[in-house]
Amino acid sequence: MCGIVGYIGDKGASALLVEGLRRLEYRGYDSAGVAVMNGNGVEIRKAAGKISKLEAVLSAMPISGNVGIAHTRWATHGAPTECNAHPHVSMDGTVAVVHNGIIENFSPLRSKLQALGYKFVSETDTEVLAHLIQAAYEDSLEQAVMDALSQVEGTYGIAVISSRDPNKLIAARKGSPLLIGLGEGEYYVASDVSAILAHTRQVVYLDDGDIAVLDRNGYRILDNDAREMLRSVSKVDWDLGQIERGGYAHFMLKEIFEQPQTIENTMRGRLLDDTGTAKLGGLNLTDEELLRFDNIVLTACGTSWHSALIGGMMLEDLARIPTKVEYASEFRYRNPVVTDRTLCIVISQSGETADTLAAMREAKHRGARTMGIVNVVGSTIARESDGGSYIHAGPEIGVASTKAFSSQVTALLLFTLKLARLRALSPVRGREIVEALHALPAQVQNILDRADEIEALAEEFKRASNFLYLGRGYNFPTALEGALKLKEISYIHAEGYPAAEMKHGPIALIDEMMPVVFIAPHDSVFEKVVSNVQEVKARKGKVIAITSRPEPALEGLIDYEFRIPETLDLVTPILASVPLQLLAYFIAVKRGSNVDQPRNLAKSVTVE
Ligand code: M6R
């Protein structure tokens, strides 16, 4: 959730580190800091708040040197103050550490260190690491880091420098992503490739347990017993333009508008028009193996869980296979029925969400085969799953997930199509779905071309305090997703419900102050949704309807309407979610929220 950057080379470290932090700011943004080796020792600058605060500190008090580490924080232990900001420094000032993750046994370690005379200045769990490294330091920094880490329980991605060995940078990983960027006579460490993409595309992803030792001449990767490990070099295919805002006011808006292209990218080369099916290269499963599964579990968090709900419905509907959808955070602590005939589909934009990763490991441990639907190439879920499909949506920087959602649902539809055609689905029905998918990018574009209609709607409702989102069938998850988008960036309380459930409770909330967004395309449950619209209207609720054609049945019942193009029922969530993303975006902007970095959130939730 926090971001790490490190640099060793011959350039000015401070500017490179801050530039990297800027690109990582979406991962956590409550405080930031840098530590640079200045020729005499380790010098630190920190600030509470956004990176711009740190930049102000650095321009008032610059540091020069060409080895350094930096961090942008999302608070876990201790308030987002300057004192709790990383880097944390050992008591003698020789060791500086930045850390992502949680040291679970920090409390006993802290007591033990205090008993030895170490003084703590922050409330963080990370500070114990700096002191542990100082305490273990004899003549090798990497050995001291290893000794310190051997005492630690929990998760970490760390970068460490020390004035006792000023031409070295150490990085280590367990449960929190970290990679090394390879340059000419210079090396980077980063928790996310976007931090270093401006400088190199050659990266080495560290595995759990790896300790990397970097100097200007090269790097070595060691295990806990100091044995040298071999790790392959990967080439990153994202380009810099993809991680910049271009001409857009916000990353979120850019990402919403990229969807025709990103959906196309998800489908590229995967649709087989003649046979009405899809081919997915990375599954690592033969058709015979696919047919052996007798149930599917889909697991994810947040928006990805909403995709999972839609995927689960598709799989039961078309492939006729029993399917369960689980919050990853619950699945990992239940006693789920999972066997070697279970396929566990793990959905994650970042591929690093701690709960989702743990759920995947749990499913594996219980004998399931795991399949990742992931965006970030080389991420932990992508690497640890038995196979899967990348969604190819490109970097998603806005904290509110948009293009990843539409691409996840598209990827799930491709997989459903493949499995369904192997099981029971007719070629005719398969071809119908392929055709609907081919039409999808242009249909999304059609919605985006009318974004001004949604902006006008946002103007009407920007002062609302509550919103209800209602849908049925495939569009119940769309309602959940619409509500999540609105609440996370505008801070308006919003709830998504299956439309018919409203009368079992939420209907009590409806009065003339309550906007109710109905997702009501002309699908198999349309008539049922009309009855629910009537119930809301009878109680003077303000009805905003996402429809797909002129509907006499809705006349006089709806206050505002936005039409999406017609498509198959199972494709409607992808189309219907686009106006809901725009509605949330425009309302949030009009209320003055920081759309790309909403309060209390971080892009990738790598703690439990
Ligand atoms: O990277 P993941 O897809 O695993 O992330 C899961 C959730 O944390 C994420 O979808 C979150 O709910 C977003 N902020 C939603 O916009």
Side-chain angles (χ1 to χ4, degrees), residues 455-572:
E455 190 169 5
L457 195 59
E459 185 60 35
E460 290 285 319
F461 288 100
K462 66 182 183 196
R463 289 192 190 84
S465 316
N466 296 286
F467 259 84
L468 261 185
Y469 287 72
L470 302 176
R472 298 184 82 150
Y474 281 114
N475 285 304
F476 156 52
T478 317
L480 295 179
E481 177 57 10
L484 177 64
K485 284 293 85 87
L486 185 71
K487 68 186 136 193
E488 67 182 335
I489 59 170
S490 72
Y491 319 138
I492 295 174
H493 172 245
E495 300 247 17
Y497 258 90
E501 272 296 302
M502 180 193 57
K503 57 187 174 292
H504 300 289
I507 199 164
L509 298 170
I510 295 184
D511 61 16
E512 60 281 5
M513 303 301 286
M514 176 65 93
V516 184
V517 180
F518 275 95
I519 298 103
H522 195 91
D523 59 9
S524 61
V525 288
F526 173 73
E527 269 81 29
K528 302 283 166 206
V529 175
V530 173
S531 315
N532 305 133
V533 176
Q534 273 160 342
E535 289 154 10
V536 168
K537 207 58 218 162
R539 286 153 186 90
K540 299 195 171 60
K542 286 266 175 299
V543 175
I544 302 163
I546 308 293
T547 62
S548 59
R549 61 164 84 154
E551 293 284 3
L554 287 175
E555 248 165 53
L557 291 180
I558 51 183
D559 300 285
Y560 302 88
E561 182 177 14
F562 183 85
R563 272 200 206 130
I564 58 171
E566 294 222 70
T567 184
L568 300 178
D569 288 13
L570 79 174
V571 184
T572 53

Side-chain angles (χ1 to χ4, degrees), residues 301-304 348-350 353 356 399-401 408 484-485 488 605:
C301 300
T303 287
S304 301
S348 175
Q349 187 287 126
S350 61
T353 300
T356 311
V399 165
S401 186
Q408 286 167 344
L484 177 64
K485 284 293 85 87
E488 67 182 335
V605 184

Side-chain angles (χ1 to χ4, degrees), residues 20 46 93 160 188 228 264 303 355 425 444 463 576:
K46 297 183 190 186
V160 184
Y188 297 82
E228 206 150 324
E264 189 79 65
T303 287
D355 286 323
L425 196 78
V444 173
R463 289 192 190 84

